Amino acid sequence: MLEEKDMNDVLDRIIAKYREDEGNVIFLLQETQDALGYIPEEAVAYFSKKLDIPSSRFYGVLTFYSQFHLKPRGKNILSVCCGTACHVKGGTKIAERIQRDLGLASDGETTEDGKFTFEIVRCVGACSIAPVVLVNNKAHAEMSADSASKLVTELKKKETGVGAK
Amino acid sequence: MAQSDETKKKVVVRVCIGTGGLAAGGKEVIEAFKKAISDFCVDIELDFTCHYQKVGCRGFCARDVLVDVVDGDTSVTYQGIKPDIAKRIVQEHLINGQPVKEWLIDDSYYSFHSKQMKVLLKDCGTIDPEDIQAYSKVGGYTGIRKILSTMTPEDVIAEIKASGIRGRGGAGFPTGVKWEACRKAQGDVKYIVCNADEGDPGAFMDRSIIEGNPHSVIEGMMIAAYAIGAGLGYVYIRAEYPAAVERLKLAIAQAHETGHLGKGLFGSDFSFDLRIKLGAGAFVCGEETALIASIEGERGMPRAKPPFPVHRGLWGRPTVINNVETLSNIPYIIRNGASWYSSIGTDKSKGTKVFALTGKIRNTGLIEVPMGIRLGEIIYDIGGGIIGDKKFKAVQLGGPSGGCIPDHLLDTPVTYEDIVRTGAIVGSGGMVVLDETDCMVNIAKFFLEFTQAESCGKCVPCRIGTKRLLEILDRITRGLGKEGDIELLEALCSDIKVASLCGLGQTAPNPVLSTLKYFRHEYEAHIKDKKCPAKACKDLLIYSILEDICKGCGVCKRACPAGAISGDKKKPHKINADLCIRCGACFDVCKFNSVNRE
């Protein structure tokens, strides 16, 4: 994580932009998440103090929208689509397998080493190539539980470095 | 090898870079073409366009990249192109003039297009979405020029009303009537908002239009702005659509640079500017008043109507909110005239409709059909029927607000009125085809999981009602259904429909009601017999190995994640029912069909 001073510099820049953008809380939070990867409690406290807005208002907004995260996310994000088309073509089975391969208890969790976050998403609009798995936003078409599992193995190999077996 | 000017080829190679094309390696194919072309010193203009709508069958979109080679008046389309084939196409087709036969599109590509009628999707897919000139060349921005020089705002509204176009977001409200109400509303500041928060699972029409032809949406918004008297517009778009957001940003920037957005446009005193607002992931924000709250930076919760947004909308000002597809139609209506548009479709449902055809169907993809076409024509003629040797069961229209239409109603014409009569809605255009292996109780549960999670929580009937509906459906699919559950579902559904505040709650029971209407026997089988007729609900399944067929190969034993299968090599194996987690892994891997599932 960033040092406090560095983080405050980032947040100050975001506040300046926020003031230009009609004072929009969602925009402020989106910028924060873009810069930091998630929204730390400290950031909310800082905004609350600097802008004189109760932190409950920030939490109200950020817990309402599924895009915002209060915890740091993994280096690689594996999103399994479970929209209608993916669901009828076996998206749930794929999700179960990836979750098992990563050893995670539930949707939205991150592995202990911080390398992988697994999440279920509801429709990424790639229904004609269902079922779809997104790895860091790149779509992989027509997946199966097996091909998804292979994908996870490959990613794990990449993460453990060259030469690792 | 240097060539003289006369022998130089002037050919356009179009490579699909839609989501499907990208996933199949569209970018790598473009690079391969670039390299091959420079290696062979052929002067060819590479034209990168999105080819979503040309995606014919499953194979076209899924594993493959579609490539058009346009040489003068002749155009040839290839399917399944990978980077290594690019070199062959350049050498054999572009240089020697012989198309590479084995990669040419086949018959299903033609049947896929036979009953379609492309108005919006005609340009979207043949022009470069990242070049404003490409849109201008096919008549783009002539609509706005025409109305600025020859029509009053009232004329424009009359024209849109005469065309008969209705909102493509789902509800089908007449667009011209909405505009007129906003025009007449008191206030000197008004807004036009484009709803690109395509949240319905199973829908990607709006995404494809923005990715393929963003300027048609911008021009549509300008025309609407002129008609209602707005000077500023917002596009509220899902952050989950990064490619669409990027193309829209680029389109807006190019429009600014070339004087298509800004002050005093095209020599008139009309000024218009456009801003993008990114959604943050909430389905309910597709509802107009929730969308407004979200643009204002608040929790996206709907409020009671009236007052309607046309009277009190964004920042309290009169606001028109139109869907992407609706707005994209507007330039074509102005260009070709209201009578042209109203000649397409039926009495009350005019024009064409774009659908995302997906699920258990051969030719998945984006299609555009005239209103009034029969459902069966879409599924069998355009879609090519069901994958494999399975039977059609139902087609789901309208996403979480819609319903499932069974086999015996496939003669239904696609119009707002006829589809509503079946218990579904036309909706925004998601069309998911289901086959005999899909359990209808499970499908209803799937949609309720969705609406229950997306309910904003403001009103009790939706917040608590959807939760209770889901609990009942969940216990039915787990074999714990009780006598009277069906009646309870029906009563609860009607209460939620009547008492919910916004469209989300009012329509949330539709998937349950329509499956109950046509597939009641499946509910009964779950509740009374504790059986899932489609063999999809895993808690109701029992797996066993047929000893007389089992060869004892051990594949199932290795596939079983629970260690529930035992047996010696080359001898029949057994499943321990106490350990079995009913995942179906053994069933999927057995090559001899010796795993029994009932």
Side-chain angles (χ1 to χ4, degrees):
Chain A
M1 222 184 96
L2 291 171
E3 293 290 325
E4 194 183 324
K5 190 188 163 295
D6 291 341
M7 188 165 98
N8 290 352
D9 285 349
V10 171
L11 299 183
D12 281 335
R13 273 199 297 276
I14 293 170
I15 287 173
K17 271 197 194 169
Y18 158 86
R19 291 202 162 111
E20 282 168 30
D21 189 72
E22 303 161 349
N24 189 309
V25 169
I26 295 178
F27 173 80
L28 181 91
L29 295 170
Q30 281 171 333
E31 289 283 312
T32 309
Q33 184 154 296
D34 277 353
L36 305 173
Y38 74 111
I39 299 168
E41 275 180 39
E42 297 82 0
V44 175
Y46 190 79
F47 287 144
S48 176
K49 207 171 118 200
K50 281 267 170 165
L51 297 168
D52 197 22
I53 296 173
S55 53
S56 61
R57 202 171 143 221
F58 291 104
Y59 285 114
V61 169
L62 69 85
T63 54
F64 185 85
Y65 295 99
S66 63
Q67 188 193 49
F68 297 119
H69 306 284
L70 283 160
K71 280 187 208 155
R73 313 239 293 154
K75 191 176 156 201
N76 298 290
I77 315 273
L78 279 88
S79 319
V80 182
C81 182
C82 286
T84 321
C86 291
H87 173 75
V88 300
K89 287 191 163 177
T92 317
K93 270 191 181 175
I94 295 171
E96 282 168 4
R97 177 70 83 84
I98 291 184
Q99 193 179 332
R100 202 167 75 212
D101 286 357
L102 292 173
L104 295 173
S106 71
D107 162 30
E109 283 194 0
T110 303
T111 51
E112 265 177 31
D113 59 5
K115 300 272 201 250
F116 299 98
T117 294
F118 158 76
E119 63 182 13
I120 289 174
V121 292
R122 293 198 195 91
C123 202
V124 294
C127 321
S128 59
I129 52 174
V132 177
V133 175
L134 299 182
V135 179
N136 303 324
N137 264 331
K138 186 184 183 315
H140 292 258
E142 292 205 321
M143 298 301 279
S144 65
D146 285 338
S147 59
S149 185
K150 257 183 218 158
L151 200 65
V152 173
T153 313
E154 275 167 34
L155 282 169
K156 276 185 179 166
K157 244 187 223 165
K158 228 189 252 170
E159 283 302 324
T160 47
V162 191
K165 281 188 182 168
Chain B
M1 165 178 89
Q3 294 190 338
S4 67
D5 278 353
E6 294 88 271
T7 58
K8 260 187 184 176
K9 289 251 183 192
K10 254 298 187 200
V11 182
V12 177
V13 177
R14 296 202 187 107
V15 181
C16 169
I17 50 165
T19 301
L22 287 178
K27 277 203 177 137
E28 291 76 10
V29 170
I30 290 171
E31 288 309 312
F33 268 108
K34 270 191 193 161
K35 185 174 180 303
I37 286 160
S38 76
D39 286 354
F40 289 118
C41 302
V42 203
D43 183 8
I44 292 171
E45 181 194 342
L46 272 181
D47 183 7
F48 313 145
T49 50
C50 160
H51 264 234
Y52 249 136
Q53 92 289 0
K54 287 202 172 168
V55 169
C57 75
R58 228 162 72 93
F60 282 121
C61 197
R63 288 178 292 273
D64 309 327
V65 180
L66 279 171
V67 174
D68 271 358
V69 176
V70 187
D71 188 352
D73 294 333
T74 58
S75 169
V76 170
T77 305
Y78 290 103
Q79 63 182 20
I81 299 309
K82 304 234 167 345
D84 51 334
I85 305 161
K87 196 175 161 190
R88 265 190 73 192
I89 294 177
V90 172
Q91 195 169 17
E92 294 176 26
H93 184 167
L94 305 191
I95 298 177
N96 296 329
Q98 293 295 322
V100 187
K101 281 207 179 106
E102 64 252 54
W103 298 102
L104 290 177
I105 44 169
D106 58 29
D107 289 348
S108 62
Y109 185 84
Y110 298 105
S111 58
F112 181 68
H113 287 92
S114 62
K115 293 211 169 166
Q116 294 200 47
M117 180 174 193
K118 300 206 170 180
V119 176
L120 300 184
L121 298 183
K122 194 172 130 264
D123 292 334
C124 162
T126 47
I127 62 170
D128 183 346
E130 301 185 344
D131 179 10
I132 190 170
Q133 300 302 335
Y135 179 62
S136 297
K137 272 185 206 156
V138 294
Y141 292 109
T142 53
I144 181 73
R145 283 172 205 267
K146 178 176 155 187
I147 63 163
L148 287 178
S149 57
T150 62
M151 292 168 88
T152 65
E154 286 75 16
D155 292 341
V156 176
I157 290 170
E159 186 81 356
I160 296 302
K161 278 173 84 174
S163 77
I165 185 172
R166 294 167 65 173
R168 293 299 194 239
F173 190 80
T175 307
V177 175
K178 202 187 244 186
W179 290 12
E180 189 174 46
C182 190
R183 174 88 215 163
K184 288 184 178 158
Q186 294 289 320
D188 47 351
V189 177
K190 293 175 184 175
Y191 297 104
I192 171 79
V193 173
C194 171
N195 183 351
D197 188 47
E198 188 173 50
D200 275 13
F204 54 92
M205 300 76 51
D206 294 348
R207 162 192 200 139
S208 305
I209 290 171
I210 291 178
E211 285 182 4
N213 194 359
H215 288 286
S216 66
V217 181
I218 296 177
E219 191 185 353
M221 290 184 76
M222 292 168 90
I223 295 169
Y226 176 74
I228 64 172
L232 181 60
Y234 287 88
V235 182
Y236 185 82
I237 183 168
R238 292 180 88 192
E240 288 91 333
Y241 285 177
V245 174
E246 280 315 305
R247 284 198 192 140
L248 194 60
K249 277 186 184 161
L250 186 71
I252 291 174
Q254 286 184 355
H256 270 290
E257 282 162 21
T258 52
H260 290 76
L261 280 176
K263 290 209 163 74
L265 293 169
F266 311 113
S268 72
D269 55 3
F270 172 66
S271 300
F272 184 64
D273 211 340
L274 206 50
R275 289 189 192 152
I276 295 179
K277 283 281 171 187
L278 290 188
F283 175 67
V284 69
C285 289
E287 199 278 341
E288 291 190 331
T289 57
L291 188 149
I292 289 169
S294 186
I295 292 181
E296 292 172 352
E298 304 296 331
R299 286 163 69 97
M301 291 163 94
R303 60 157 175 79
K305 292 188 279 191
F308 289 97
V310 288
H311 298 121
R312 263 186 79 83
L314 188 59
W315 322 113
R317 313 281 194 169
T319 303
V320 161
I321 302 173
N322 281 146
N323 151 277
V324 172
E325 192 183 332
T326 314
L327 288 165
S328 181
N329 263 301
I330 301 298
Y332 297 91
I333 295 174
I334 295 295
R335 233 184 278 164
N336 302 323
S339 53
W340 160 80
Y341 189 82
S342 63
S343 70
I344 307 167
T346 66
D347 229 18
K348 286 185 180 158
S349 298
K350 300 292 185 193
T352 61
K353 176 79 194 85
V354 180
F355 285 101
L357 188 59
T358 63
K360 306 289 180 61
I361 193 153
R362 281 205 183 92
N363 306 335
T364 59
L366 197 67
I367 61 164
E368 184 173 2
V369 288
M371 281 287 196
I373 191 173
R374 286 170 201 283
L375 277 172
E377 293 178 88
I378 294 180
I379 287 158
Y380 291 102
D381 299 334
I382 297 173
I386 305 295
I387 301 169
D389 51 3
K390 301 277 191 315
K391 264 199 229 130
F392 171 89
K393 184 181 264 185
V395 55
Q396 208 283 340
L397 260 77
S401 310
C404 293
I405 302 176
D407 199 25
H408 71 272
L409 292 177
L410 284 184
D411 261 349
T412 309
V414 178
T415 69
Y416 290 104
E417 296 75 24
D418 290 294
I419 298 291
V420 163
R421 231 167 274 142
T422 68
I425 57 166
V426 169
S428 61
M431 204 180 257
V432 185
V433 179
L434 307 170
D435 71 14
E436 55 185 328
T437 63
D438 291 307
C439 167
M440 302 313 281
V441 189
N442 178 287
I443 294 292
K445 187 181 107 183
F446 168 80
F447 283 114
L448 257 297
E449 273 169 2
F450 183 85
T451 34
Q452 190 270 320
E454 294 293 343
S455 169
C456 78
K458 183 169 178 173
C459 74
V460 175
C462 177
R463 182 180 72 233
I464 299 174
T466 54
K467 180 89 181 159
R468 295 289 99 87
L469 273 184
L470 177 60
E471 282 168 2
I472 300 169
L473 291 168
D474 186 59
R475 75 170 179 246
I476 294 175
T477 57
R478 291 197 294 121
L480 304 169
K482 294 183 284 204
E483 197 70 34
D485 269 354
I486 292 180
E487 292 71 23
L488 185 56
L489 280 174
E490 283 170 335
L492 199 47
C493 282
S494 81
D495 291 347
I496 296 170
K497 269 178 101 85
V498 174
S500 291
L501 173 66
C502 83
L504 191 151
Q506 287 157 12
T507 59
N510 285 353
V512 183
L513 288 173
S514 82
T515 49
L516 268 174
K517 186 171 174 188
Y518 301 115
F519 301 95
R520 200 181 184 96
H521 56 278
E522 292 200 19
Y523 282 81
E524 286 165 352
H526 283 75
I527 296 169
K528 290 182 187 146
D529 310 331
K530 311 293 176 205
K531 292 269 182 227
C532 173
K535 297 184 179 174
C537 295
K538 75 179 192 183
D539 289 308
L540 299 179
L541 297 175
I542 298 165
Y543 288 89
S544 61
I545 292 175
L546 301 167
E547 295 192 8
D548 47 334
I549 306 179
C550 178
K551 306 265 189 267
C553 67
V555 169
C556 60
K557 199 164 131 184
R558 286 192 292 278
C560 179
I565 300 179
S566 59
D568 295 329
K569 234 185 174 174
K570 295 194 177 167
K571 287 201 176 136
H573 284 38
K574 269 207 167 88
I575 298 177
N576 180 342
D578 293 336
L579 294 176
C580 177
I581 57 167
R582 302 179 177 110
C583 69
C586 53
F587 185 87
D588 293 339
V589 296
C590 181
K591 290 193 185 79
F592 309 103
N593 293 326
S594 66
V595 179
N596 188 40
R597 183 171 68 177
E598 58 184 350

